[in-house]
Structure formats: structure tokens, C-alpha cells
């Protein structure tokens, strides 16, 4: 109105008053609303700006796509997810992951398996997304050699069932560390299984050594972790070094000795003593403190010999025994092919079945029993191969002719 008055006052005085009135009316009807609209127009919204600059691009997911979203509802057997404001998806029934415990607001990843279900929603699956994500992670662990803890879920005669990144894996018996390896005399499978079952529920540090997504095969190793830890310790030893340690296990084939910082080596039955022994337990027991020499190193495997640190009695056997000599001996063991005889604590000999009697022998047990003592005639001596042949037959024949 003020503008209208200024306009009117600036008109020549001789202008007709009716024209002035018309100008006032036009100002009120047109100029004032336009000025007010211009003054009150708000700034462009973010959406308008995006639309004007063509920066807003919405891509609707396709079947098989991995999508991220926010949990908006959790039911007994279903979960609803907001996919970035584009759509609502539902995960239900067999497509849920029982290992997931979700609440409203959790960020999740899922795979699209249907674009329009009966509710007009996306049908999603946690399994597809989790499976791919899990195997990708497992492949990373395999490549990097990262040590990870796993919980033992089950045990069978071949090893342990574990779970890593949501995938069931297998830890074979052969891949257990020496500490957990089930050393059982005779290799009885039931006893091995008992020892393996004692590990169920425990946590073991492992490395992935095979991750095949196509075959759905995951193999892990505890021994690989142990080997890595021992590399620096083992590097200071070489073949020929003497070590001291404690017997940790006795098996049919030998004894295990632990020394230094948790290193462990095997003394094979043939390396326990120079003389023949039937079973390692006849000479050793768990807890015995022994000395041994390193005779071989293969990777993390250490092979020891106790007898190498004792002088070989067979070197001087020729000074004590001669072929044709008549000697006394005690039967140590009876085999179908003859008798093993102890001449002294270090030297043992064999009386072959053909040397037991002048008549054919059907059963060696008819000739002697363990512990029996006889006079034998020495028929052969082989120091290099630690063999000495005896004859009971010749001794008896000579006795008769005497």
C-alpha cells in the first residue's frame, strides 16, 4: 500500500483521479502477492537438488544380489529387514541362521531369493550371504596362515569336528599337536576315540590347511601351529646333538621323549638298546629321565637314539666269544622259527629251529620254555649286523658222544 501511495503522489496533479484509483487496485491484486511469494519461497530441498543434478540413482536389487539392511522386526521364525529405504525384506524358516541372535537395529547382510512374495516384500536368505562371506574369510585365513581358536564340537575315530566362521571343519588325528595326540598302545580304536572325546568342548589353536568351497571341505591343523612355535627352538639343534628329557609316552613302536622347550622326539624300539627287546615298556616307562642322541630331523619330526650314547658291545664281541665255543644261555623269547637266547646282558643270539634237535621240530615250545637255560654251541658271529647263531643240537650231540 505504501508503494501505491508513493506511485500516486508522483503522478502529475492534472492526472484524473480515476486512473490513480485503478493503479492502486492493480498494485494490490498483482504486485503485493508476487512480492510476498518471492520473500517466503523456501530453499530447495536435498531431494530436489539431487533430482535437478541427476545425482539420485536408485537400483532395485535382483535375485542373487547380496544386500545390506537394518533389522526392523524380529519374530519367532522370521526377521524383517529395511533395505536402505528401498524395500522391506523378510528372512524366514530355513533361510534363517540359528547361530545369529538378532535384535531390532542390527545391521545385517542377506541374499535376495525372491523379488515379490505374498506380502509384496523381498524374500531374503541369511544362508547365502553368510556362506559366501564365511568361505571368503576362510580363504583369507588359509592364505595368511593366521592362527585362530576353534571349539571342538564332536569326536570320531578319525579326528575332531570343529566350527570356524560358521562352517563345520575337520581336524584329523594326524594334525593334532603332540600334547593332544592320542598315543595308545596297540592302536586300539576305542581307546583312541575315548581320548579324542576328552577334547570335546575345549578350545584349540589351529590353522586352516584346506578350504574348498565347492567341495565344502574345511581341514584345520593344530600341529601346524605347534610346528611354527617350535621352529625357532628346533633351529639350534643338529643331528648328532645329545639331549636329555622325560619319557612322555610308550607305544609298541617306541617311546616319545620331551626335552627343551616342549620339543619331542621319537626313540624307535630299535634305537632303545643294542640288544633285542620285545616291547619298549620292558625297558622304559612314562616319567623316566633319559639321554638320547638326535639321529634325524625331518621338518618338525625329531628322531632319537638312546643306544648311540652307549658303546656298541658288538664291536668287541670277538674278544669274548668265538665260533665253536660252548656257552650257557637263557631263553628270552620263543618264535616259530627258533629261540632268542641271552648270553649276557649285552649279547643275544638266535638258535634257529633247524639247530634245536637232530629230529624235525614241529613246535618250538616242545623244546624249551622262556627262562630255561641250556648249553649252546656258537656256530656264527656277525658283529656288523649284530647277529650270533647258536646250536642246541650240536651241543647235545657232542654231549652224547663224549
Amino acid at each position: 500500500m505504501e508503494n501505491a501511495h508513493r506511485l500516486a503522489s508522483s503522478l502529475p496533479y492534472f492526472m484524473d483521479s480515476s486512473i490513480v484509483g485503478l493503479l492502486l487496485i492493480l498494485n494490490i491484486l498483482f504486485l503485493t502477492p508476487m512480492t510476498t511469494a518471492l520473500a517466503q519461497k523456501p530453499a530447495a530441498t536435498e531431494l530436489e537438488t539431487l533430482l535437478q543434478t541427476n545425482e539420485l540413482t536408485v537400483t532395485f536389487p535382483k535375485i542373487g544380489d547380496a544386500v545390506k539392511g537394518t533389522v526392523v522386526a524380529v519374530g519367532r521364525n522370521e526377521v524383517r529387514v529395511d533395505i536402505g529405504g528401498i524395500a522391506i525384506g523378510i528372512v524366514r524358516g530355513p533361510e534363517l541362521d540359528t547361530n545369529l541372535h538378532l535384535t531390532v537395529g542390527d545391521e545385517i547382510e542377506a541374499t535376495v531369493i525372491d523379488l515379490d512374495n505374498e506380502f509384496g516384500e523381498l524374500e531374503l536368505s541369511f544362508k547365502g550371504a553368510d556362506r559366501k562371506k564365511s568361505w571368503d574369510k576362510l580363504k583369507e585365513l588359509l592364505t595368511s596362515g593366521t592362527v585362530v581358536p576353534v571349539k571342538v564340537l564332536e569326536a570320531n575315530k578319525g579326528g575332531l569336528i570343529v566350527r570356524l566362521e560358521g562352517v563345520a571343519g575337520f581336524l584329523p588325528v594326524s594334525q593334532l599337536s603332540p600334547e593332544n595326540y592320542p598315543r595308545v598302545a596297540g592302536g586300539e580304536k576305542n581307546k583312541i576315540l575315548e581320548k579324542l572325546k576328552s577334547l570335546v568342548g575345549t578350545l584349540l589353536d589351529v590353522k586352516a590347511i584346506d578350504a574348498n568351497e565347492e567341495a565344502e571341505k574345511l581341514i584345520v591343523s593344530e600341529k601346524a601351529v605347534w610346528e611354527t612355535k617350535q621352529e625357532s627352538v628346533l633351529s639350534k639343534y643338529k643331528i648328532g646333538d645329545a639331549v636329555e628329557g622325560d619319557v612322555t609316552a610308550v607305544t609298541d613302536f617306541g617311546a616319545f621323549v620331551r626335552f627343551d622347550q616342549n620339543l619331542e622326539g621319537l626313540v624307535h624300539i630299535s634305537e632303545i638298546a643294542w640288544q633285542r627287546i620285545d616291547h619298549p615298556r620292558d625297558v622304559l616307562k612314562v616319567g623316566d629321565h633319559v639321554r638320547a642322541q638326535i639321529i634325524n630331523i625331518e621338518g618338525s619330526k625329531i628322531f632319537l637314539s638312546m643306544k648311540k650314547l652307549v658303546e656298541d658291545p658288538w664291536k668287541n664281541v670277538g674278544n669274548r666269544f668265538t665260533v665253536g665255543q660252548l656257552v650257557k644261555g637263557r631263553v628270552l623269547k620263543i618264535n616259530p622259527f627258533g629261540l632268542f637266547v641271552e648270553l649276557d646282558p649285552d649279547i643275544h643270539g638266535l638258535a634257529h629251529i633247524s639247530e634245536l634237535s637232530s629230529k624235525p621240530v614241529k613246535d618250538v615250545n616242545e623244546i624249551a620254555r622262556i627262562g630255561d637255560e641250556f648249553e649252546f654251541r656258537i656256530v656264527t658271529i656277525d658283529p656288523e649286523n649284530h647277529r650270533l647263531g647258536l646250536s642246541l643240537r650240536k651241543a647235545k650231540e657232542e654231549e652224547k658222544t663224549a
Side-chain angles (χ1 to χ4, degrees):
M1 291 296 291
E2 187 177 351
N3 291 334
H5 287 298
R6 289 198 189 99
L7 180 62
S9 61
S10 64
L11 293 174
Y13 67 90
F14 53 81
M15 184 174 286
D16 189 270
S17 59
S18 61
I19 295 175
V20 174
L22 179 59
L23 290 173
L24 288 172
I25 293 171
L26 290 173
N27 181 68
I28 294 171
L29 290 175
F30 296 104
L31 296 179
T32 301
M34 288 177 64
T35 304
T36 304
L38 289 171
Q40 294 179 350
K41 184 177 180 180
T45 65
E46 183 178 352
L47 178 60
E48 289 173 334
T49 302
L50 289 171
L51 288 171
Q52 291 170 4
T53 58
N54 295 319
E55 292 181 5
L56 181 61
T57 303
V58 178
T59 303
F60 201 80
K62 304 182 297 295
I63 292 177
D65 284 356
V67 294
K68 293 182 179 181
T70 305
V71 175
V72 294
V74 179
R76 290 185 59 186
N77 199 34
E78 63 182 32
V79 175
R80 278 186 164 77
V81 182
D82 176 16
I83 311 301
I86 299 173
I88 295 295
I90 184 170
V91 188
R92 53 184 172 174
E95 303 305 326
L96 289 166
D97 187 343
T98 55
N99 295 317
L100 293 176
H101 302 284
L102 299 173
T103 58
V104 173
D106 286 348
E107 299 292 326
I108 60 90
E109 186 173 333
T111 299
V112 178
I113 58 175
D114 193 357
L115 296 178
D116 188 16
N117 63 13
E118 68 271 25
F119 303 113
E121 299 170 324
L122 291 177
E123 197 78 25
L124 306 175
S125 171
F126 284 145
K127 290 189 174 179
D130 287 345
R131 182 179 181 279
K132 185 178 186 307
K133 189 176 181 180
S134 294
W135 281 105
D136 287 346
K137 180 62 176 177
L138 290 172
K139 290 173 184 176
E140 289 179 13
L141 293 175
L142 176 65
T143 303
S144 65
T146 303
V147 177
V148 289
V150 295
K151 187 175 182 179
V152 179
L153 304 178
E154 299 176 32
N156 57 44
K157 292 180 180 179
L160 304 173
I161 306 299
V162 300
R163 186 175 295 278
L164 180 58
E165 295 295 330
V167 175
F170 186 57
L171 201 170
V173 172
S174 62
Q175 294 299 322
L176 285 167
S177 69
E179 183 179 355
N180 291 320
Y181 188 87
R183 300 189 183 99
V184 176
E188 291 186 43
K189 293 183 178 180
N190 289 335
K191 288 187 177 180
I192 291 175
L193 182 57
E194 286 179 16
K195 287 185 174 289
L196 292 175
K197 283 183 176 179
S198 68
L199 295 172
V200 173
T202 62
L203 286 175
L204 302 178
D205 286 337
V206 301
K207 286 184 180 182
I209 58 174
D210 190 6
N212 189 321
E213 182 178 359
E214 290 71 24
E216 293 191 348
K217 182 175 72 172
L218 172 63
I219 307 295
V220 299
S221 171
E222 183 192 29
K223 185 172 74 172
V225 178
W226 177 82
E227 288 175 346
T228 302
K229 291 180 180 178
Q230 302 311 309
E231 283 177 0
S232 59
V233 181
L234 186 57
S235 62
K236 69 182 182 182
Y237 288 100
K238 63 183 183 299
I239 294 173
D241 287 350
V243 298
E244 289 189 29
D246 298 321
V247 176
T248 57
V250 178
T251 68
D252 294 341
F253 54 84
F256 289 89
V257 177
R258 183 170 295 166
F259 62 97
D260 205 322
Q261 298 180 33
N262 210 31
L263 289 177
E264 194 168 53
L266 170 66
V267 184
H268 190 265
I269 185 172
S270 62
E271 294 294 333
I272 292 176
W274 288 109
Q275 64 268 35
R276 180 185 178 85
I277 59 175
D278 292 332
H279 196 284
R281 65 170 171 265
D282 297 336
V283 181
L284 298 169
K285 65 181 184 297
V286 173
D288 283 352
H289 190 76
V290 298
R291 294 182 71 245
Q293 185 182 82
I294 297 175
I295 56 174
N296 197 12
I297 299 174
E298 295 179 3
S300 63
K301 296 179 180 178
I302 307 169
F303 299 92
L304 305 172
S305 174
M306 292 172 56
K307 72 180 187 182
K308 286 288 196 300
L309 295 181
V310 180
E311 186 179 3
D312 183 0
W314 287 86
K315 284 183 178 179
N316 301 314
V317 68
N319 298 332
R320 299 158 60 190
F321 302 103
T322 58
V323 174
Q325 182 180 352
L326 194 64
V327 293
K328 279 190 176 183
R330 182 171 64 90
V331 177
L332 290 177
K333 186 177 181 181
I334 300 174
N335 275 342
F337 53 83
L339 305 175
F340 285 98
V341 180
E342 179 188 73
L343 302 185
D344 64 28
D346 295 323
I347 304 299
H348 297 169
L350 170 67
H352 192 265
I353 188 172
S354 62
E355 294 291 340
L356 296 181
S357 176
S358 56
K359 298 178 181 179
V361 177
K362 294 182 179 180
D363 185 358
V364 179
N365 290 284
E366 294 177 356
I367 303 297
R369 295 178 181 177
I370 293 176
D372 287 350
E373 292 188 353
F374 299 99
E375 282 197 332
F376 297 88
R377 181 71 66 184
I378 298 176
V379 292
T380 60
I381 298 177
D382 184 357
E384 186 176 346
N385 294 305
H386 295 181
R387 293 176 181 174
L388 187 148
L390 300 170
S391 175
L392 181 59
R393 173 177 60 83
K394 288 182 179 181
K396 287 183 177 180
E397 288 175 351
E398 292 171 2
E399 186 179 336
K400 288 179 181 179
T401 58

